[in-house]
Amino acid sequence: MNSNQTAQLIKQLQGIVGQKYTLTNPNHTLPYRQGIRFGEGDALAVVLPGTLVEQWLVLKACVEADVIVITQSANTGLTGGSTPDGNDYDRPIVIVSTRRLDGINVIENGEQVVCLPGSTLFRLEKELKKYHRGPHSVIGSSCIGASVMGGVCNNSGGALIQRGPAYTQMAVFAQLDAQGQLHLVNHLGIELGDEPETILQNLQNHAYSDKDIKRDAGLGHDHHYCDHVREIDADTPARFNADPARHYEASGSAGRLMVFAVRLDTFPLEKKSAVFYIGTNDINELNGIRRHILGQFKTLPVSGEYIHRVAFDIAAVYGKPSFLAIKKLGTDMMPRMFVFKNFVDRVTAKIPFFPKNFSDRFSIFACKFLPNHLPKSLRDYRDRYEHHLILKMADDGIAEAEAFLKDYFQNKNGNYFLCDEKEAEAAMLHRFAAAGAATAYRNVHSKTVENIVALDIALKRNDTDWFETLPESVDQNFVYKMYYGHFFCYVFHQDYIAKKGVDCDKVKEDILALLDQRGAQYPAEHNVGHLYHANADLKKFYQELDPTNSLNPGIGKTSKKKNWV
């Protein structure tokens, strides 16, 4: 692409969305070209359309110019899957950010919702409370502005045991065929017209009524997961990103389509809930709890979050700023806080005497002078027990769990207590804070830490030896190993903080080889991004969705070249 063609495309994009929303200065595009943990590369421009029609026209212009398009929602992913990765692409890249395209329309008396690309989980959760219902996912990712669309396109799982990975068969999306022709597909189950611009305009303006909505257009979530997760003797994981059973058009598409809207089911809120905090030094005691609850309980838990003592300790220091920010400011403020944090880091990075990652260093240092934020009961359990399980039950399940745990721990070394409101909030926030604590630790200790090897894995449902023991040849490479995750789904997040000078890519391959021997699948819920190899099924799915390899090429370590060369 020569300079004249480049200038012509940029002028065309400016004509569609305006000069203000066509970013070309590398300093201005960096927040969009760089992932939170991984991934960075060049881009010809970052475009922020303000309407769905603008988004469609931008895509058309990019297709005509034969450039790569990466559609980006909130850019909160942990595997770099919505940013460029390096500069070895064969065509220029345009990033289309959908942050301005927020839109939620509750339909079917609150039982379903239509979400546009910029809709965030925390806003959806807030909107649905008016109907006494909740969205598919409400785990802490919503606190940092994660998008609804990103969850669907990546089959994200989250903590809620009964709902499984984000999934829908109803969406409006644009697709390139094998001849490079662009098509808009309306599988939303809502009559919106015939022409692309009419469909998108009606969609954005909610210009449809109940009679336009088809009731049996497809599934709005995975209805079978609540039974699937109960199969505790199955020799396969409960959920993982490359599972073909949960790939359907937009669901799992990972940017291989440009998605304009998804239609999802919502769920009734529990009338009453309770949190049990469980501690033990014997993983077999947690095995017994998991197998009995999944196999015998009439009521599945709302969530069951595991955290290991080391993760508890790292989160207590390096996750404290996030913990306090959410507690004091609420989830609504968190997206703006993260934008401000990134702005501070970009500005201070240009000042010679300021250290890199200044915001993390300052906030963690300042928090040392604040009182301990964790209740004494949690800290006591930390001292007594290596393994911690935060079990949340609702309605009829509360009495069921209390009776079981009281009997179960009569002859066990571990124990449990029923959390009061303050303890329950602290336990949940602390578990969320663990997810970002390794990154904060790395940022503060850059002189002694090479990087993080971050894995999210799904173990076989019948695996009783779930807690990892690494051989010394691998273990010696790490300062700390953090283990936490969604225990009943057997999905674990494993953050290895590597010593300075360690070859993180090699160590990662060593760990993955060990996981292969155990029959684990990975990634479990953050998708392949640019960190994992797409397996044969996932690669085939991507090729079917995007035969010219023009939309987010290279993810899953696949080809970045046109037509999959």
Side-chain angles (χ1 to χ4, degrees):
M1 194 174 193
N2 61 42
S3 57
N4 287 336
Q5 292 170 320
T6 299
Q8 184 178 352
L9 176 59
I10 290 173
K11 186 176 180 180
Q12 192 175 359
L13 296 174
Q14 290 173 338
I16 297 169
V17 303
Q19 190 169 348
K20 178 181 178 181
Y21 296 110
T22 307
L23 311 180
T24 56
N25 185 315
N27 291 328
H28 297 159
T29 61
L30 182 61
Y32 304 88
R33 296 187 290 107
Q34 186 179 60
I36 286 180
R37 277 189 179 175
F38 300 101
E40 182 181 348
D42 293 340
L44 192 67
V46 174
V47 185
L48 293 90
T51 68
L52 297 180
V53 171
E54 286 183 1
Q55 186 183 357
W56 167 255
L57 294 176
V58 165
L59 178 60
K60 283 183 67 177
C62 291
V63 169
E64 290 168 5
D66 195 24
V67 299
I68 289 168
V69 175
I70 297 178
T71 309
Q72 185 180 97
S73 295
N75 196 17
T76 60
L78 300 180
T79 58
S82 59
T83 61
D85 183 62
N87 296 313
D88 55 342
Y89 296 83
D90 63 345
R91 293 150 288 169
I93 295 171
V94 171
I95 298 172
V96 179
S97 171
T98 63
R99 293 183 183 185
R100 297 175 63 211
L101 298 172
D102 187 10
I104 295 170
N105 191 29
V106 181
I107 62 173
E108 300 291 271
N109 298 314
E111 294 184 5
Q112 290 190 326
V113 65
V114 175
C115 294
L116 302 190
S119 307
T120 58
L121 278 173
F122 87 85
R123 180 168 170 230
L124 178 58
E125 185 178 356
K126 189 175 180 180
E127 188 70 24
L128 289 176
K129 280 182 180 177
K130 301 173 187 176
Y131 299 84
H132 304 288
R133 299 184 73 84
H136 170 272
S137 300
V138 294
I139 192 173
S141 57
S142 62
C143 297
I144 58 172
S147 71
V148 177
M149 195 75 76
V152 172
C153 292
N154 290 296
N155 285 138
S156 298
L160 300 181
I161 296 168
Q162 302 171 36
R163 301 178 193 177
Y167 177 81
T168 186
Q169 296 176 346
M170 298 173 286
V172 174
F173 56 88
Q175 183 173 28
L176 274 169
D177 65 22
Q179 288 71 46
Q181 297 299 307
L182 187 62
H183 304 273
L184 186 74
V185 180
N186 179 11
H187 286 170
L188 201 63
I190 301 176
E191 179 55 49
L192 296 165
D194 299 317
E195 296 302 316
E197 292 185 27
T198 302
I199 291 170
L200 296 174
Q201 194 165 21
N202 287 336
L203 179 58
Q204 177 130 31
N205 296 335
H206 303 164
Y208 49 88
S209 61
D210 288 347
K211 64 181 178 61
D212 298 315
I213 301 173
K214 187 178 179 182
R215 302 294 185 269
D216 56 349
L219 297 178
H221 80 282
D222 183 353
H223 290 248
H224 304 292
Y225 187 77
C226 55
D227 297 320
H228 179 76
V229 74
R230 284 184 180 272
E231 297 171 2
I232 51 178
D233 293 314
D235 200 39
T236 56
R239 57 180 170 93
F240 56 99
N241 286 132
D243 186 352
R246 297 184 181 91
H247 294 159
Y248 189 92
E249 296 177 345
S251 297
S253 58
R256 294 297 185 169
L257 304 170
M258 180 176 276
V259 186
F260 293 87
V262 291
R263 179 177 165 187
L264 302 164
D265 292 336
T266 68
F267 304 85
L269 295 177
E270 57 265 16
K271 296 180 180 68
K272 184 181 178 183
S273 65
V275 172
F276 300 87
Y277 200 92
I278 299 165
T280 181
N281 291 312
D282 184 353
I283 67 166
N284 291 315
E285 292 185 2
L286 292 189
N287 288 346
I289 291 171
R290 175 181 172 272
R291 290 184 64 83
H292 183 87
I293 289 178
L294 291 180
Q296 304 296 326
F297 269 29
K298 293 180 180 178
T299 306
L300 279 174
V302 176
S303 62
E305 293 297 289
Y306 169 79
I307 183 168
H308 181 256
R309 179 186 278 159
V310 173
F312 186 108
D313 290 347
I314 298 292
V317 177
Y318 297 91
K320 188 174 180 179
S322 296
F323 181 108
L324 293 176
I326 296 167
K327 184 173 181 179
K328 300 298 183 184
L329 301 176
T331 57
D332 287 20
M333 283 294 294
M334 292 311 294
R336 278 177 276 180
M337 287 288 294
F338 274 83
V339 170
F340 178 70
K341 176 184 182 298
N342 292 335
F343 170 76
V344 169
D345 285 338
R346 289 199 306 274
V347 171
T348 54
K350 300 173 185 176
I351 304 173
F353 57 85
F354 269 82
K356 192 177 179 182
N357 303 305
F358 174 76
S359 64
D360 279 324
R361 294 172 184 272
F362 176 79
S363 60
I364 290 166
F365 176 77
C367 282
K368 290 180 180 180
F369 299 96
L370 298 176
N372 199 311
H373 59 299
L374 297 175
K376 186 176 184 300
S377 53
L378 269 64
R379 289 182 277 126
D380 286 347
Y381 262 51
R382 178 265 166 226
D383 294 339
R384 292 168 60 187
Y385 302 116
E386 181 179 2
H387 306 285
H388 300 237
L389 178 64
I390 307 163
L391 175 65
K392 184 177 181 181
M393 302 296 299
D395 303 329
D396 294 343
I398 298 172
E400 194 174 16
E402 192 156 24
F404 164 68
L405 292 173
K406 184 177 181 180
D407 179 68
Y408 185 77
F409 279 110
Q410 284 186 353
N411 59 348
K412 299 289 190 298
N413 293 319
N415 210 339
Y416 79 98
F417 64 88
L418 178 62
C419 295
D420 61 26
E421 189 175 338
K422 182 180 177 182
E423 291 166 334
E425 179 190 34
M428 292 296 191
L429 280 179
H430 189 54
R431 161 61 185 88
F432 164 69
T439 301
Y441 185 97
R442 176 196 65 184
N443 292 345
V444 172
H445 297 279
S446 55
K447 291 183 179 179
T448 56
V449 172
E450 183 66 29
N451 209 338
I452 303 165
V453 177
L455 303 179
D456 67 296
I457 67 164
L459 298 181
K460 297 186 298 182
R461 284 167 282 174
N462 64 355
D463 190 346
T464 55
D465 191 20
W466 52 269
F467 188 70
E468 181 178 70
T469 303
L470 292 174
E472 178 59 25
S473 59
V474 178
D475 193 63
Q476 66 180 354
N477 293 290
F478 305 122
V479 182
Y480 291 111
K481 305 185 298 294
M482 293 178 61
Y483 298 97
Y484 52 96
H486 316 307
F487 187 65
F488 289 87
C489 300
Y490 256 10
V491 167
F492 293 93
H493 302 289
Q494 304 184 171
D495 293 341
Y496 308 87
I497 303 173
K499 296 174 183 177
K500 199 70 175 179
V502 166
D503 184 343
C504 291
D505 289 337
K506 182 184 183 304
V507 169
K508 176 186 168 186
E509 293 304 318
D510 291 341
I511 297 172
L512 293 181
L514 295 170
L515 290 170
D516 289 339
Q517 293 174 17
R518 298 171 64 187
Q521 291 282 353
Y522 49 83
E525 61 182 11
H526 289 155
N527 219 332
V528 289
H530 291 287
L531 291 185
Y532 298 90
H533 287 275
N535 67 13
D537 288 331
L538 191 57
K539 184 177 179 181
K540 180 183 177 184
F541 180 57
Y542 290 160
Q543 288 176 320
E544 290 171 349
L545 293 181
D546 182 21
T548 67
N549 204 25
S550 298
L551 303 177
N552 206 14
I555 56 167
K557 298 187 180 294
T558 57
S559 171
K560 295 179 178 178
K561 309 299 182 184
K562 189 172 182 179
N563 297 318
W564 297 87
V565 173

